[in-house]
Amino acid sequence: MILVNPQHMKAVPGRKTDIKDSEWLADLLRHGLLKASFIPPAPIRELRELTRYRKSFVEERTSEINRLHKVLEGVNIKLTSVLTDVLGVSGRAMLEAVASGEEEIETLALLAKGRLRAKLPQLRRALDGRVQPHHRFLIAQILTHLDFLTESIEQVQAEIEQRLRTSYQEEEQLLLTIPSIKVTSAATIISEIGVDMSRFPTEKHLASWAGVCPGNKQSGGKRFSGATTNGNPYLRAALAEVVWSITRTDTYLAAQYHRIARRKGKKRAVMAVAHSLLVIIYHVLREKKSYTELGADYFDRLNTEQVQRHHVRRLEQLGYKVELSPASVA
C-alpha cells in the first residue's frame, strides 16, 4: 500500500464515480505510474508532531503579545515607545503593578531597572493612561496566559532535545556546523526531511519536494509562471528564518544573499539562499561530513579579474588614473 498525491493522478473531470476512480487508480498502479509520497519512519513522525506543536505554541504566544500591545494602546499606555521589550524585567513589573490596581504614575515609573532609570521622564509620560477595571483584568489574564505558554514551550522543547540526544545526536551536531542553524531549527529540519537522504535521489528532488526551487510549467512551447510550489510550509519557514539570520553574518551564504538581493530583491534572495542551504543540508546528512565554510570573499576570489575591471572602471569614471601592481608576497 502506498500514499500518493491526488494532484498527480486526477481522473477526467465530469466522469468520476467511486468505482471508476478505483479502476483508474488500480490501472495506474499496475502500470507503475503512481509515485509514492515521502512517509518518514515513526520516530521522525513523532519528532515532527512535537516540533509542529511547539511552533503552534510560539505562534499563539506571539498573538497573545500582540493582544497585550492592543490593550495598552487602547488605554494610552505607550510603553513600546520607551521600552525595547514590554515583557522584559522592568516592563513586566510595571504591567503586574497596573494589573494589581496601582494608579500612581511615579510609583510605576520607579519600577524601572538598570539603564532604563535614565528615561524616567519619558516613562512618566508613557504611563499616563486611562486604565479601567476591565483593562486590569485583561492585562492580568494575558500575563497569566503568557506564563502558561512560555512554560509549555519550555516543556515541549525539553522533550524535543531529549529525543535528539537519544536518537539523532550525530545528525544534530552535523547540522549545527552550518552557520546560524541552532538546536530548534536543526530539530525542525530533521523532523521534516528525516536523516535518510537515500529517499531523495538528488538534492534537486529534495528542493522540489520542499518547494524552494522554481516551478516548471510549460505548454505549447511557452513557459508560464515559474513561481515556487507549495512544498513543505514548515520546512520553508524554518529555512527562511535561518537565512534571515545568515544575512547578518560574514559567510559565503551571506555573500550570496547580498549578491542576489542587489539584482532580484530581498525576498527572492532569501528563497535562493534557502535553496542553497537545503542543498548543503542534503550533502551534510548524506555524506556525514561537517559543513566547510567557503568564506565571504569566495565570489571575489572566483572572479578576481572581473572585480578588478569593475573597480578600475568606477575609479576612472570618477576621474582617476589607475595603475595596478601586485603586492609583494612576504
Side-chain angles (χ1 to χ4, degrees), residues 99-198:
S100 62
E102 182 60 56
E103 296 181 355
E104 280 293 330
I105 296 176
E106 186 65 26
T107 303
L108 294 173
L110 290 176
L111 293 174
K113 308 291 183 181
R115 290 182 296 178
L116 189 61
R117 296 187 70 86
K119 300 181 179 180
L120 288 179
Q122 297 95 312
L123 272 176
R124 295 187 186 99
R125 291 194 296 270
L127 290 167
D128 187 10
R130 302 181 299 273
V131 185
Q132 303 299 321
H134 77 283
H135 293 132
R136 303 183 193 278
F137 175 78
L138 286 174
I139 292 174
Q141 291 297 312
I142 291 174
L143 292 178
T144 302
H145 193 199
L146 284 174
D147 291 338
F148 165 75
L149 292 173
T150 301
E151 183 181 358
S152 299
I153 291 172
E154 293 174 353
Q155 292 175 354
V156 176
Q157 182 66 26
E159 178 67 17
I160 291 172
E161 293 178 2
Q162 190 274 332
R163 288 176 177 267
L164 286 176
R165 288 193 300 268
T166 303
S167 305
Y168 308 108
Q169 187 173 9
E170 180 185 2
E171 290 79 9
E172 178 192 7
Q173 294 303 319
L174 288 172
L175 291 178
L176 292 179
T177 62
I178 302 174
S180 297
I181 289 186
K182 306 302 180 185
V183 175
T184 302
S185 52
T188 302
I189 292 168
I190 291 175
S191 66
E192 295 299 334
I193 67 176
V195 295
D196 182 15
M197 294 297 101
S198 63

Side-chain angles (χ1 to χ4, degrees), residues 37-150:
S37 297
F38 169 58
I39 306 296
I44 295 293
R45 296 201 301 270
E46 295 170 2
L47 182 63
R48 176 184 291 181
E49 290 182 13
L50 290 172
T51 55
R52 293 184 179 182
Y53 191 44
R54 180 191 179 282
K55 181 178 176 64
S56 66
F57 272 139
V58 172
E59 292 174 347
E60 189 173 351
R61 186 176 185 274
T62 303
S63 299
E64 201 69 11
I65 293 174
N66 293 337
R67 196 170 291 115
L68 175 63
H69 284 295
K70 182 180 179 181
V71 173
L72 294 178
E73 289 293 325
V75 299
N76 200 39
I77 292 181
K78 306 292 185 178
L79 283 178
T80 53
S81 63
V82 184
L83 277 68
T84 304
D85 183 10
V86 177
L87 292 174
V89 176
S90 301
R92 181 63 187 253
M94 295 175 192
L95 291 175
E96 289 179 349
V98 170
S100 62
E102 182 60 56
E103 296 181 355
E104 280 293 330
I105 296 176
E106 186 65 26
T107 303
L108 294 173
L110 290 176
L111 293 174
K113 308 291 183 181
R115 290 182 296 178
L116 189 61
R117 296 187 70 86
K119 300 181 179 180
L120 288 179
Q122 297 95 312
L123 272 176
R124 295 187 186 99
R125 291 194 296 270
L127 290 167
D128 187 10
R130 302 181 299 273
V131 185
Q132 303 299 321
H134 77 283
H135 293 132
R136 303 183 193 278
F137 175 78
L138 286 174
I139 292 174
Q141 291 297 312
I142 291 174
L143 292 178
T144 302
H145 193 199
L146 284 174
D147 291 338
F148 165 75
L149 292 173
T150 301

